[in-house]
Amino acid sequence: EAGVAQSPRYKIIEKRQSVAFWCNPISGHATLYWYQQILGQGPKLLIQFQNNGVVDDSQLPKDRFSAERLKGVDSTLKIQPAKLEDSAVYLCASSLGRGARGEQPQHFGDGTRLSIL
Amino acid sequence: GESVGLHLPTLSVQEGDNSIINCAYSNSASDYFIWYKQESGKGPQFIIDIRSNMDKRQGQRVTVLLNKTVKHLSLQIAATQPGDSAVYFCAGPWGAAGNKLTFGGGTRVLVKP
């Protein structure tokens, strides 16, 4: 099966600019996740969707980050305006179900590496 | 383990030797643990998981050991190969609601030819 697709692979912007990332999950996967991975750290969950509804966005900096999954398939994550500390890899993952307990493991894309100048 | 570290511990291992990667967790109620492998420029890849009702689980060249008494788990890689060079993370549903995948700080494994 095709994996999780993300684009772009790399993005360089200046602080205060806007940026958007796109994710296409594995076909049939109802749950979609966006993670932020800062260099040298493990991924941190930003937002979780179940179909087109938000399940958890408690760690999403909502003053500058937004995400949507309008038709329950593809998703976009936006940062506006970007700050220096947003430099990271943004990973998208998907799973059949919404749990984190192994019944439906999460499959990750290769991420978008964002550099803020 | 569950704490996020600023430094990435590195394990250098000779090709063909066994590797042991460790992870400590703090919540004694944790009941599910996962190991992920992340190669440079790639997303995390599931390796193996274990539930708290088990002490040991084996996969292909990998073994996970769980010691609930000291809240420690380890990943053993047998006959380490150059393709095993990567960062390894332990993870689990350690969020407050128990349904959010939380990653530990990671260990980098470098395989020397």
Side-chain angles (χ1 to χ4, degrees):
Chain A
E1 65 181 359
V4 175
Q6 290 190 248
S7 67
R9 289 285 282 128
Y10 305 94
K11 190 72 177 179
I12 302 173
I13 62 172
E14 295 185 348
K15 60 183 179 183
R16 291 189 289 273
Q17 286 188 322
S18 303
V19 65
F21 315 121
W22 174 82
C23 172
N24 181 238
I26 292 173
S27 178
H29 280 195
T31 309
L32 185 147
Y33 315 78
W34 283 103
Y35 289 83
Q36 180 192 59
Q37 185 174 24
I38 293 172
L39 186 65
Q41 298 182 13
K44 182 185 81 171
L45 180 69
L46 292 175
I47 188 167
Q48 177 180 342
F49 291 94
Q50 177 75 10
N51 296 310
N52 61 350
V54 175
V55 173
D56 185 340
D57 63 357
S58 58
Q59 298 189 105
L60 186 74
K62 299 179 187 62
D63 58 333
R64 297 183 301 106
F65 286 65
S66 64
E68 58 183 15
R69 194 186 184 200
L70 293 176
K71 297 182 179 179
V73 180
D74 294 4
S75 177
T76 56
L77 175 69
K78 297 179 181 178
I79 308 175
Q80 179 180 14
K83 292 185 175 181
L84 291 175
E85 64 256 35
D86 299 332
S87 292
V89 174
Y90 291 85
L91 295 161
C92 180
S94 69
S95 64
L96 279 170
R98 61 183 286 177
R101 314 197 75 81
E103 295 85 3
Q104 300 94 17
Q106 296 183 26
H107 300 265
F108 285 81
D110 289 337
T112 297
R113 183 177 298 274
L114 175 66
S115 297
I116 311 295
L117 304 178
Chain B
E2 295 174 60
S3 62
V4 174
L6 294 176
H7 306 287
L8 201 58
T10 299
L11 174 67
S12 290
V13 60
Q14 199 70 37
E15 182 178 356
D17 288 350
N18 296 336
S19 303
I20 300 176
I21 306 161
N22 298 303
C23 177
Y25 61 96
S26 57
N27 186 351
S28 57
S30 297
D31 62 354
Y32 179 62
F33 308 87
I34 314 165
W35 282 100
Y36 280 91
K37 171 186 180 183
Q38 187 172 26
E39 297 176 82
S40 181
K42 301 284 188 181
Q45 178 185 8
F46 174 91
I47 301 174
I48 192 168
D49 59 358
I50 188 168
R51 298 194 182 277
S52 59
N53 60 352
M54 303 173 69
D55 297 325
K56 177 180 179 179
R57 191 170 188 210
Q58 289 185 290
Q60 188 177 15
R61 280 200 310 116
V62 295
T63 301
V64 57
L65 298 177
L66 176 61
N67 186 329
K68 295 180 285 293
T69 302
V70 296
K71 291 182 281 190
H72 179 272
L73 71 158
S74 65
L75 178 71
Q76 300 180 2
I77 306 173
T80 311
Q81 301 170 359
D84 296 326
S85 291
V87 177
Y88 291 80
F89 294 96
C90 62
W94 297 325
N99 62 356
K100 181 185 305 182
L101 192 62
T102 303
F103 286 76
T107 297
R108 184 183 306 279
V109 172
L110 294 176
V111 181
K112 298 178 288 186

